[in-house]
Amino acid sequence: IMKILANDGISKDAVAALEAAGFSVSTTKVDQAQLIDHINKENISALLVRSATTARKDMIDACPGLKLIGRGGVGMDNIDVEYARSKGRHVINTPGASSQSVAELVIGTMFSLSRDLFHSHRMMPVNGEKDFEALKKKYGKGQELRGKTLGIVGFGRIGQSLASYALGCGMKVIAIDLYTNPVDIKVPIVGHGDVKVTITPKKDLSDVIGELDYVSLHVPKQPNGAAVIGEAEFSKL
């Protein structure tokens, strides 16, 4: 029986599905420092991680019986993906699993920023009685998302899902991506079907950054460690 270690946790439904398929699943959390020894001692064939556990070159070299590394999520910065694949290991992720959730979180944060919801929620209970008028004046203003322009840097599954929500809020969406093929975005209207909007990404952020009211980044960390948006870009906003 192939043994799977889900070191960062996994749902009960997922455990049941894997066991029904004939796998042995462990959800015991193993400390990173002990992980190599545990994989070899327990003959683990597949390691499932989220973001807490790393799978680097030393593990890949030291665990010849490890056949698969799976990431429950999108980003794989915590895995030496190319090296693992060069050594014959399968590396997989779940690219579409969190797209809608992340998009909703971004939209929620944008509403919060535009209406000072976070700060007012913190400050009103603390100073609301003695400084009510000043706080009311400070937090009573805001801006509407409708009519504003959102720049989405990285127009993959998450970026496209975010575009759907932003379009539904009445925002103008500008996508920035290395790939500039037109993308059809569906904006679902319950009971009325989908509205289709075609967005053609721009390749260079600097060309459009002066038009943006909001920017949302959906790209991996840059290989050279450089910032996606630095001082020069901020000065153009």
Side-chain angles (χ1 to χ4, degrees):
I1 299 177
M2 182 179 286
K3 292 184 177 181
I4 298 174
L5 172 62
N7 206 47
D8 294 335
I10 193 172
S11 71
K12 292 180 179 178
D13 289 344
V15 172
L18 289 168
E19 289 179 341
F23 298 101
S24 172
V25 183
S26 170
T27 57
T28 300
K29 175 67 176 178
V30 180
D31 185 80
Q32 186 74 47
Q34 309 300 321
L35 193 52
I36 291 175
D37 289 340
H38 181 86
I39 290 172
N40 290 329
K41 180 180 178 181
E42 298 297 326
N43 296 315
I44 301 297
S45 298
L47 174 66
L48 304 182
V49 303
R50 291 183 183 271
S51 56
T53 300
T54 61
R56 299 299 183 196
K57 181 178 181 294
D58 61 334
M59 177 188 294
I60 295 160
D61 288 339
C63 301
L66 189 63
K67 297 178 174 62
L68 179 143
I69 303 169
R71 165 73 160 96
V74 180
M76 296 194 287
D77 294 343
N78 54 326
I79 302 170
D80 287 339
V81 178
E82 295 306 320
Y83 184 78
R85 288 174 175 165
S86 75
K87 294 298 182 179
R89 309 307 201 277
H90 293 285
V91 184
I92 59 175
N93 65 346
T94 55
S98 61
S99 299
Q100 181 169 320
S101 295
V102 175
E104 288 189 3
L105 179 61
V106 174
I107 285 291
T109 302
M110 289 167 60
F111 274 114
S112 179
L113 287 169
S114 299
R115 296 293 168 180
D116 275 323
L117 299 182
F118 176 77
H119 289 284
S120 61
H121 180 70
R122 288 175 63 87
M123 296 306 298
M124 275 295 189
V126 177
N127 298 319
E129 289 191 18
K130 62 185 181 71
D131 295 327
F132 179 78
E133 290 300 326
L135 291 176
K136 178 184 177 183
K137 184 177 181 180
K138 180 177 181 179
Y139 297 129
K141 297 179 180 179
Q143 63 178 5
E144 298 172 350
L145 294 187
R146 182 168 294 176
K148 301 300 189 299
T149 300
L150 167 64
I152 302 177
V153 182
F155 209 51
R157 291 179 178 88
I158 294 176
Q160 292 173 28
S161 185
L162 174 59
S164 177
Y165 279 98
L167 291 166
C169 290
M171 301 186 77
K172 177 182 177 181
V173 174
I174 297 178
I176 301 94
D177 198 279
L178 294 176
Y179 303 97
T180 56
N181 295 327
V183 179
D184 290 336
I185 303 298
K186 293 181 179 179
V187 182
I189 310 297
V190 176
H192 300 278
D194 297 336
V195 175
K196 186 182 79 171
V197 179
T198 301
I199 295 177
T200 301
K202 308 292 185 180
K203 195 164 189 175
D204 194 339
L205 174 62
S206 63
D207 289 343
V208 296
I209 197 165
E211 304 174 39
L212 308 180
D213 300 297
Y214 297 82
V215 183
S216 190
L217 305 180
H218 300 277
V219 291
K221 185 168 73 172
Q222 303 303 292
N224 60 358
V228 178
I229 294 182
E231 183 176 353
E233 289 77 21
F234 276 114
S235 68
K236 297 177 182 179
L237 282 167

